[in-house]
Amino acid sequence: MNGEEPSYRISFIYRKILVPVDGSEVSLKALELAIDLAKHYGSKITVVTVKSKGETLSQDPLAKAKARIAREPINVSYKTLEYDPSLESVSYRLIKEIVEEGYDLVIMGARGKTLYGELPIGSVALSLVINAPISVLVVR
């Protein structure tokens, strides 16, 4: 630093932001919003993807996220969460992560890769909006 003021205000509201991504454009759009908030408020972003145990992903959604965030001057980490489909859901695994890690905000896409033409919001986004103990910002 050369004595300049930081380009952001430190926020105690959105210190830790969780951004679930599945590689879809709308999930990456949510990531871009999280990047903007992190630049303005000094937030830490955790980008996550969720897969079932033993599943091999043909394309790594985190690779797309890393490419979008590579040159941004923010604090970011990446995680791959696994769940057992016979015992829990993607939503449950994300809520468990939110509670265990103490996130302040979730920013996610309204619909992921599994698009159903009639539905404006996907089941995971809807479940998090209803059940998460923190604010969930849904991006369209």
Side-chain angles (χ1 to χ4, degrees):
M1 292 286 256
N2 56 5
E4 293 180 24
E5 292 289 321
S7 62
Y8 58 85
R9 283 188 3 207
I10 295 178
S11 170
F12 293 102
I13 299 172
Y14 303 129
R15 292 165 298 147
K16 290 178 72 175
I17 300 173
L18 182 69
V19 183
V21 297
D22 61 2
S24 66
E25 262 319 297
V26 74
S27 73
L28 297 174
K29 190 174 174 183
L31 177 60
E32 289 171 7
L33 178 58
I35 292 167
D36 188 58
L37 282 176
K39 285 181 185 176
H40 286 90
Y41 298 110
S43 310
K44 179 181 192 280
I45 295 174
T46 301
V47 182
V48 298
T49 192
V50 183
K51 65 178 192 141
S52 60
K53 286 186 179 175
E55 178 184 8
T56 303
L57 301 173
S58 58
Q59 291 184 331
D60 179 13
L62 295 180
K64 284 186 176 182
K66 288 175 184 176
R68 293 262 175 122
I69 213 166
R71 294 194 173 115
E72 300 293 347
I74 57 172
N75 186 352
V76 63
S77 62
Y78 302 91
K79 282 186 175 181
T80 298
L81 304 176
E82 290 191 345
Y83 72 104
D84 182 346
S86 65
L87 300 173
E88 56 190 4
S89 65
V90 172
S91 304
Y92 176 83
R93 185 61 188 93
L94 286 169
I95 290 172
K96 184 175 174 186
E97 174 74 8
I98 290 164
V99 171
E100 289 176 355
E101 297 298 326
Y103 292 98
D104 302 303
L105 176 67
V106 176
I107 301 178
M108 67 186 303
R111 297 192 324 185
K113 285 193 159 195
T114 53
L115 300 177
Y116 301 105
E118 302 296 316
L119 300 176
I121 188 167
S123 60
V124 175
L126 184 59
S127 181
L128 260 64
V129 166
I130 293 169
N131 298 302
I134 60 172
S135 296
V136 177
L137 196 159
V138 178
V139 176
R140 295 187 189 277

